[in-house]
Amino acid sequence: MYAVLYAKTKGLARQDIPHSSFPALTPEAVDEVHHNIERFPERQILDFLVQFFVAEVNWLVIPSVHVHSERPTSLKISLTSASDRMDQLIHLPWFLAKYERWWMVERVKLVAEVDVAILILRICSYASQFLPSPGYTLDKIRLVSLADVRKTCDGTADSLAAISAAADSRGSLIRIQHLAFLGLRCQIEGNTTAFWEVLSRAIRVAQTIGIHSEVTRSRQGMDEIDQEMERRTFCNLYIWDSLLSRQLDHTAFLPRSLRSGNLPQFGVLKNGGGEVSIGQGPDAPDPFTERLLQARLADFWRSTGPLQGAEYDMVVGEERYDKFCCEYLSQLPPAFALVELDKRWDKRLPKLPMQRQLLHIAIYDSVCWNFRPLLLLHDHEHMESLPLPTYKRVLLGSQEKALAVAALRAIDGVTQLHALLGGCHTRFAGLVFSTFEAAVVLMYLCMDPMFPRDYYHRNIPPQNPLNTDTDPLQAGICNVTRHGCVQAVQGALERLRMLAEVSSMAETGASTLTRLLNKVSEISTRMGTGTGTGTNDFALSQDQEVGNNTTTITQLRSTSAAGEIASWLANEQGDLRSMKDFISINETSTVGDMMNWPSFDPLKMDSQNDFMTIHTMQDMQSNCTTSSIMDSSH
């Protein structure tokens, strides 16, 4: 009911502006749009996917999600907590109002209405990527296969997008949002290059309509809720632009500095936009806090990080990290801190731990990025032969360990996040990418027979040591072991193999990591540290002595395994580092028996389990027989 009431005031477009202010379609375009709308999946399928998006994909805790019994074509979602979201690209009451109102339109005649239709289809296509799920184990919705639903949504959305762009080249906030969901779909398929291209289109539209400018927003006379939606959308664009440009070694589309006028203003949506309080109190984290912290993290490294193509300076790298600890980590709110963590809100905000892990993984990934160029120094004959003064040898050894600790913490964060998600199969790209990148860092470090090295560790203290309250890596540096790193890599490989059953991105990552592990195992065997019986030979014992080994770094680099990892490190190579151009998902491939997936824990999932169980039973009754679970990939 709330969505319907909200729609009366917010609707598809602002009600205080005449319809003439919005571009209208030509009669020919109206007919073409109508023809495309006739190709839509049936309303109940779209309702189900929107419900699933709200209940699980968007990380929203809700007590009831059901369809009006008196109006079977109307979506009713009761919201009691809008506190737990992942990307939070859309504000749910805002979107649900537009969803309800769109179905009330007798004939689409405005570009704004076409854009809403595209947004609905993009969201439904994206949500379907997470099906089957532990709570909904069928590969069909109302007897229509997930692959067919996705194909229809994507094809129709593409056709409508062409019509919308031809009618209005300028664009709108909703166009930015449906482009963003298209990009997220590309990301989840492992096609980072396509995500980057779609992101560039979304940013061009954003700059054209001026959502990056507070002055433009004020001049347009927009209400506070729409202005806040633009700020939050721009915040997400900035995060993705920063992340992808770093991963692909590309120049970012947006300027380095994130202006204060583009930062979200907490309280706007609570006061007038449908943010529903559950009595958290004034000190409770705002639902968008994690996204804001991600934006500030990106902003720090874009203004402070190493220049592309510049030679690595270990002293400057250390100074950057010290500055990061002092200016960013020390300012994290207690609910998101790396040390002295405040968990008092976790029970009231069940998805807050997931948001926290997302941020922590991003933090450790960024620290790896800061220190990772030091691995290129390994291309010299041998670390011991590098013409470095003693203090730089000490610093280099310390940074190698810091890099290892950051990679280990990233893998540990992924493990915890996966557990919070139920430990089940998922196509969530963040799990796959962070697992792969951290594992490759650890493998490259372990290819050095001298790792971990301790240059005069007992005699020369590190320069300018930071307190462990601000430096999250310091405590772990003294405990880094080769064996621990290898175990982490093997755990990462196991996770990728599991996720490979539903994710082509994970499948490619797992095969690449397996190939590298096998080759590194061969190196260990030639070094006399393995038996040549497989990847487990790479698991050296913690007490194993490697100091007397005479194999040089150059000999190691001559292997094909090292060559593959070296290409990941080289600035001009982006394929393995970003895992772009992964194998496309095959529509006909199977993923195994998903009936063995663990069921939702009602204590953890609240009433979401009831929602999914109800729809599972409905579809089983529709099918009249238990369907075999097929692959939900493209």
Side-chain angles (χ1 to χ4, degrees):
M1 180 64 68
Y2 181 82
V4 177
L5 293 175
Y6 190 76
K8 291 181 179 180
T9 58
K10 300 304 172 186
L12 292 183
R14 288 179 51 224
Q15 301 300 299
D16 58 338
I17 298 179
H19 272 214
S20 59
S21 300
F22 298 94
L25 299 170
T26 64
E28 294 78 10
V30 170
D31 292 339
E32 190 175 355
V33 168
H34 181 69
H35 173 71
N36 278 280
I37 290 176
E38 290 178 337
R39 296 167 49 200
F40 271 39
E42 62 180 276
R43 170 73 188 271
Q44 290 176 312
I45 292 177
L46 296 180
D47 276 353
F48 171 81
L49 288 171
V50 169
Q51 290 169 338
F52 180 74
F53 173 79
V54 169
E56 291 196 42
V57 179
N58 208 45
W59 286 7
L60 175 69
V61 179
I62 56 177
S64 60
V65 182
H66 58 278
V67 176
H68 284 285
S69 58
E70 69 274 15
R71 291 181 59 199
T73 61
S74 179
L75 186 71
K76 178 181 178 181
I77 299 181
S78 302
L79 305 174
T80 62
S81 170
S83 59
D84 307 311
R85 308 197 191 110
M86 186 161 34
D87 286 317
Q88 302 184 76
L89 185 59
I90 60 171
H91 181 53
L92 287 175
W94 181 85
F95 166 70
L96 294 174
K98 294 183 182 297
Y99 182 79
E100 285 280 352
R101 192 173 179 85
W102 189 87
W103 289 106
M104 300 177 188
V105 177
E106 294 183 2
R107 191 170 180 84
V108 174
K109 297 180 180 180
L110 299 177
V111 174
E113 296 165 344
V114 178
D115 283 341
V116 172
I118 300 169
L119 179 62
I120 292 170
L121 293 172
R122 295 299 189 200
I123 287 177
C124 289
S125 174
Y126 181 62
S128 72
Q129 294 279 359
F130 295 88
L131 291 170
S133 74
Y136 186 87
T137 57
L138 303 180
D139 68 327
K140 297 180 179 180
I141 305 175
R142 298 186 61 80
L143 300 178
V144 181
S145 71
L146 290 170
D148 288 342
V149 171
R150 272 193 294 271
K151 183 177 181 180
T152 301
C153 287
D154 293 338
T156 307
D158 290 342
S159 298
L160 291 176
I163 298 173
S164 174
D168 177 20
S169 60
R170 182 177 171 80
S172 63
L173 172 62
I174 295 179
R175 182 175 296 179
I176 299 170
Q177 291 173 327
H178 72 62
L179 283 171
F181 275 106
L182 173 60
L184 289 175
R185 192 204 76 193
C186 295
Q187 182 194 44
I188 210 171
E189 294 173 355
N191 194 341
T192 309
T193 302
F195 187 15
W196 176 257
E197 190 275 331
V198 173
L199 178 63
S200 71
R201 291 160 54 192
I203 290 175
R204 284 198 299 271
V205 176
Q207 292 177 325
T208 299
I209 67 175
I211 75 167
H212 64 295
S213 171
E214 188 71 16
V215 175
T216 302
R217 280 194 293 268
S218 301
R219 187 165 58 247
Q220 290 175 343
M222 300 175 64
D223 61 38
E224 289 187 351
I225 294 176
D226 285 340
Q227 289 186 44
E228 180 62 12
M229 287 305 306
E230 289 196 348
R231 283 189 288 266
R232 296 191 176 202
T233 300
F234 186 83
C235 188
N236 271 303
L237 294 178
Y238 189 84
I239 294 170
W240 295 330
D241 183 39
S242 304
L243 178 63
L244 284 176
S245 62
R246 190 175 73 205
Q247 292 173 347
L248 300 174
D249 279 327
H250 290 347
T251 301
F253 296 117
L254 294 170
R256 283 190 174 186
S257 178
L258 186 62
R259 300 174 183 175
S260 59
N262 289 321
L263 296 177
Q265 297 180 5
F266 295 159
V268 172
L269 296 183
K270 287 183 180 179
N271 297 332
E275 285 283 355
V276 185
S277 173
I278 57 174
Q280 301 102 322
D283 298 329
D286 187 273
F288 208 76
T289 299
E290 180 267 339
R291 289 282 91 191
L292 177 60
L293 293 174
Q294 290 268 17
R296 287 177 173 165
L297 175 68
D299 196 45
F300 175 87
W301 289 113
R302 287 181 63 170
S303 60
T304 311
L307 298 176
Q308 291 182 347
E311 183 177 352
Y312 180 66
D313 186 325
M314 64 188 72
V315 175
V316 175
E318 191 72 17
E319 291 174 349
R320 276 196 305 266
Y321 178 68
D322 291 350
K323 184 177 181 180
F324 178 62
C325 292
C326 294
E327 296 184 5
Y328 181 84
L329 296 183
S330 65
Q331 302 301 314
L332 289 175
F336 290 90
L338 293 177
V339 293
E340 298 184 1
L341 182 63
D342 182 0
K343 296 185 177 182
R344 58 178 164 153
W345 302 109
D346 287 13
K347 291 184 179 179
R348 295 188 184 185
L349 309 175
K351 297 300 186 298
L352 177 59
M354 299 183 189
Q355 292 182 319
R356 181 189 303 129
Q357 287 303 324
L358 279 175
L359 177 64
H360 288 183
I361 292 168
I363 288 173
Y364 288 121
D365 281 347
S366 72
V367 173
C368 286
W369 177 70
N370 180 59
F371 289 125
R372 199 177 67 189
L374 69 84
L375 297 178
L376 294 175
L377 299 176
H378 287 206
D379 288 332
H380 292 276
E381 176 67 20
H382 195 283
M383 196 64 69
E384 269 40 73
S385 66
L386 290 177
L388 298 175
T390 301
Y391 81 94
K392 283 196 173 183
R393 291 183 183 276
V394 174
L395 187 58
L396 184 58
S398 174
Q399 289 182 357
E400 281 186 318
K401 291 183 179 181
L403 177 58
V405 173
L408 289 168
R409 297 277 175 84
I411 290 178
D412 183 61
V414 171
T415 301
Q416 294 183 47
L417 178 58
H418 194 194
L420 290 171
L421 292 171
C424 59
H425 297 72
T426 176
R427 289 193 178 92
F428 180 37
L431 293 180
V432 177
F433 192 90
S434 295
T435 298
F436 179 81
E437 282 221 326
V440 172
V441 166
L442 293 175
M443 280 187 54
Y444 197 86
L445 286 170
C446 288
M447 287 178 65
D448 182 352
M450 300 299 296
F451 176 80
R453 53 176 49 81
D454 291 300
Y455 288 119
Y456 314 103
H457 177 72
R458 298 176 183 174
N459 299 324
I460 302 179
Q463 293 184 329
N464 300 323
L466 291 169
N467 190 286
T468 54
D469 291 342
T470 57
D471 182 1
L473 305 183
Q474 189 179 79
I477 285 178
C478 296
N479 301 318
V480 173
T481 64
R482 187 184 187 89
H483 178 66
C485 292
V486 171
Q487 282 189 320
V489 171
Q490 292 174 336
L493 177 58
E494 290 176 4
R495 178 177 300 107
L496 290 176
R497 283 173 172 168
M498 172 194 176
L499 299 179
E501 295 187 28
V502 295
S503 168
S504 66
M505 188 185 213
E507 180 184 5
T508 303
S511 63
T512 302
L513 205 55
T514 299
R515 185 168 62 254
L516 296 176
L517 270 172
N518 286 332
K519 293 175 180 178
V520 172
S521 178
E522 295 174 4
I523 297 172
S524 299
T525 301
R526 291 198 297 270
M527 290 165 53
T529 58
T531 60
T533 58
T535 58
N536 286 335
D537 295 331
F538 192 40
L540 305 178
S541 67
Q542 185 171 354
D543 301 326
Q544 195 155 6
E545 192 69 42
V546 296
N548 296 327
N549 196 288
T550 58
T551 304
T552 67
I553 298 298
T554 298
Q555 288 172 319
L556 293 179
R557 298 307 179 275
S558 66
T559 66
S560 55
E564 291 188 60
I565 304 179
S567 68
W568 171 78
L569 290 165
N571 288 333
E572 67 274 9
Q573 297 293 330
D575 293 347
L576 186 55
R577 177 179 53 256
S578 64
M579 294 195 294
K580 64 183 181 179
D581 297 329
F582 265 175
I583 299 173
S584 59
I585 301 176
N586 189 334
E587 293 185 11
T588 61
S589 62
T590 60
V591 297
D593 184 9
M594 296 184 187
M595 295 301 291
N596 293 324
W597 287 6
S599 60
F600 282 155
D601 182 350
L603 296 178
K604 295 181 180 179
M605 301 304 295
D606 299 322
S607 62
Q608 294 181 23
N609 189 37
D610 297 334
F611 155 64
M612 298 310 301
T613 301
I614 290 173
H615 280 279
T616 301
M617 294 301 297
Q618 290 175 345
D619 272 280
M620 291 180 69
Q621 292 171 1
S622 299
N623 292 339
C624 299
T625 182
T626 302
S627 301
S628 60
I629 306 304
M630 304 297 291
D631 180 26
S632 64
S633 58
H634 285 273

